[in-house]
């Protein structure tokens, strides 16, 4: 069995944004990095990491030093007004090298806590099962 990811892990995942769901899509447009913000049993909760923060309603910028340490691009942000959740391992998770790993990186605890604190109380969750 593939181990459950930990809070702060970065996965490659076909994330479904709320605006895509509202447009009638049931699958995201592309694979993108996401950050695990919680696990409950076999359920995994993720937020999107995006380079297009200007198109999102609510984001938290990732400091360059944190992005470098986590292995993601500089100038990225975390979307904090929506999230996806699914039963692990999920259909939309993509493996990373060296296979069969699914964890592409990890956010430091301080920034992980900042993201969880910034997550809006009224954030929209999309069940991806």
């Amino acid at each position: 069995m593939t181990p459950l990811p930990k809070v702060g892990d970065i996965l490659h995942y076909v994330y479904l944004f709320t605006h895509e769901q509202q447009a009638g899509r049931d699958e995201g447009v592309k694979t993108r990095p996401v950050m695990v913000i919680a696990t409950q049993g076999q359920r995994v909760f993720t937020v999107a990491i995006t380079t297009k923060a200007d198109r999102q309603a609510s984001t938290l910028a990732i400091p360059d030093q944190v992005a470098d340490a986590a292995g993601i691009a500089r100038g990225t942000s975390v979307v904090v007004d929506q999230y996806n959740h699914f039963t692990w391992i999920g259909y939309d998770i993509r493996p990373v090298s060296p296979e069969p790993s699914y964890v592409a990186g990890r956010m430091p605890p301080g920034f992980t806590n900042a993201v969880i604190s910034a997550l809006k109380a009224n954030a929209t969750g999309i069940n991806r099962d």
Side-chain angles (χ1 to χ4, degrees):
M1 178 169 203
T2 303
L4 198 65
K6 296 178 177 77
V7 172
D9 282 349
I10 298 170
L11 311 173
H12 289 182
Y13 177 71
V14 182
Y15 187 91
L16 181 65
F17 285 101
T18 54
H19 69 273
E20 293 169 342
Q21 183 186 46
Q22 291 164 354
R25 296 188 62 88
D26 60 1
E27 187 170 312
V29 174
K30 67 177 186 176
T31 301
R32 69 175 50 256
V34 297
M35 185 181 116
V36 176
I37 55 165
T39 60
Q40 292 178 350
Q42 290 297 113
R43 290 211 72 73
V44 175
F45 296 77
T46 63
V47 289
I49 298 172
T50 181
T51 57
K52 298 178 180 165
D54 56 327
R55 294 187 187 174
Q56 300 300 322
S58 189
T59 60
L60 179 65
I62 301 172
D64 288 345
Q65 187 175 11
V66 171
D68 292 346
I72 57 176
R74 287 180 172 213
T76 55
S77 299
V78 178
V79 178
V80 293
D81 65 349
Q82 57 186 280
Y83 59 91
N84 283 191
H85 58 97
F86 55 91
T87 303
W88 185 252
I89 190 168
Y91 299 104
D92 293 311
I93 293 292
R94 301 297 183 254
V96 296
S97 294
E99 288 192 40
S101 178
Y102 290 92
V103 177
R106 183 154 179 78
M107 291 291 192
F111 187 74
T112 298
N113 291 335
V115 170
I116 292 168
S117 293
L119 192 65
K120 304 298 182 190
N122 63 343
T124 302
I126 299 176
N127 184 345
R128 298 289 284 127
D129 285 339

